[in-house]
Amino acid sequence: MDCIFCSIINKDEHEGMIFRDDKIVSFLDIRPLSYGHTLVVPVAHYTDFREMPADLMADYFAQLQKIALAVERATEAHGFNIICNTGIAASQSVFHLHYHIIPRYHDDEVFKRLNFKKYDHSITMHSYAEKIKKQLF
Ligand code: AMP
Ligand code: ZN
């Protein structure tokens, strides 16, 4: 399979490698939104978050938190975003599950223009809550 993250995991030569064990690897993003922008990737190939097996989650999220705190300390950031783009519409470009850790600073304007919507009488918050509740199974 032609997957850039599988090749990185198999070669183990990435300049920005931070962590690896038998389940999880972590390395720096080659196109950082801020310096220290880090990716946390399961060793096993899952296309995206939809495919993430439940039995990976405890280890994965514990390691994600550990690495995020290390990134925050190392970069002296004031906070961070943890993002998992899922699907082309959500800007996923590498189809091997990963989370981004993006160090953030006060007024850094990394995500400057977000287009917030409003619920109103024609599109109610309640109708969306009901739709989503029906899909929880
Ligand atoms: P996404 O758009 O959420 O799928 O994120 C994929 C990320 O992988 C992008 O931010 C890329 O910059 C990053 N990326 C692609 N190739 C490499 C690489 N060889 N080393 C590190 N990061 C990479
Ligand atoms: Zn892969």
Side-chain angles (χ1 to χ4, degrees):
M1 191 198 321
D2 203 17
C3 169
I4 178 71
F5 287 178
C6 282
S7 336
I8 290 170
I9 290 162
N10 294 330
K11 282 198 200 115
D12 197 18
E13 286 170 356
H14 198 281
E15 186 187 345
M17 189 60 70
I18 289 169
F19 174 85
R20 76 181 292 147
D21 68 9
D22 55 332
K23 287 187 183 148
I24 293 148
V25 298
S26 180
F27 48 86
L28 292 177
D29 194 302
I30 202 167
R31 225 158 52 112
L33 280 166
S34 66
Y35 293 112
H37 178 164
T38 296
L39 302 172
V40 178
V41 184
V43 168
H45 182 99
Y46 305 107
T47 301
D48 61 37
F49 181 72
R50 302 170 181 120
E51 285 188 6
M52 187 176 197
D55 64 2
L56 177 63
M57 291 182 184
D59 286 344
Y60 185 83
F61 288 110
Q63 200 57 56
L64 179 65
Q65 185 191 46
K66 240 177 160 172
I67 295 168
L69 297 182
V71 169
E72 184 181 40
R73 287 191 297 267
T75 57
E76 298 181 44
H78 305 136
F80 50 85
N81 294 105
I82 292 187
I83 295 177
C84 178
N85 299 326
T86 304
I88 293 172
S91 306
Q92 186 177 1
S93 61
V94 174
F95 294 89
H96 180 137
L97 170 63
H98 56 281
Y99 272 66
H100 297 253
I101 301 164
I102 303 163
R104 297 298 307 276
Y105 301 88
H106 299 304
D107 305 318
D108 65 12
E109 301 190 341
V110 168
F111 299 107
K112 196 173 174 190
R113 274 195 282 187
L114 293 177
N115 189 12
F116 292 104
K117 303 215 178 298
K118 270 189 191 152
Y119 291 107
D120 60 21
H121 60 281
S122 63
I123 304 175
T124 65
M125 185 184 273
H126 180 72
S127 70
Y128 269 84
E130 288 304 310
K131 278 203 261 198
I132 294 166
K133 273 154 66 179
K134 280 193 193 127
Q135 296 298 327
L136 269 180
F137 45 77

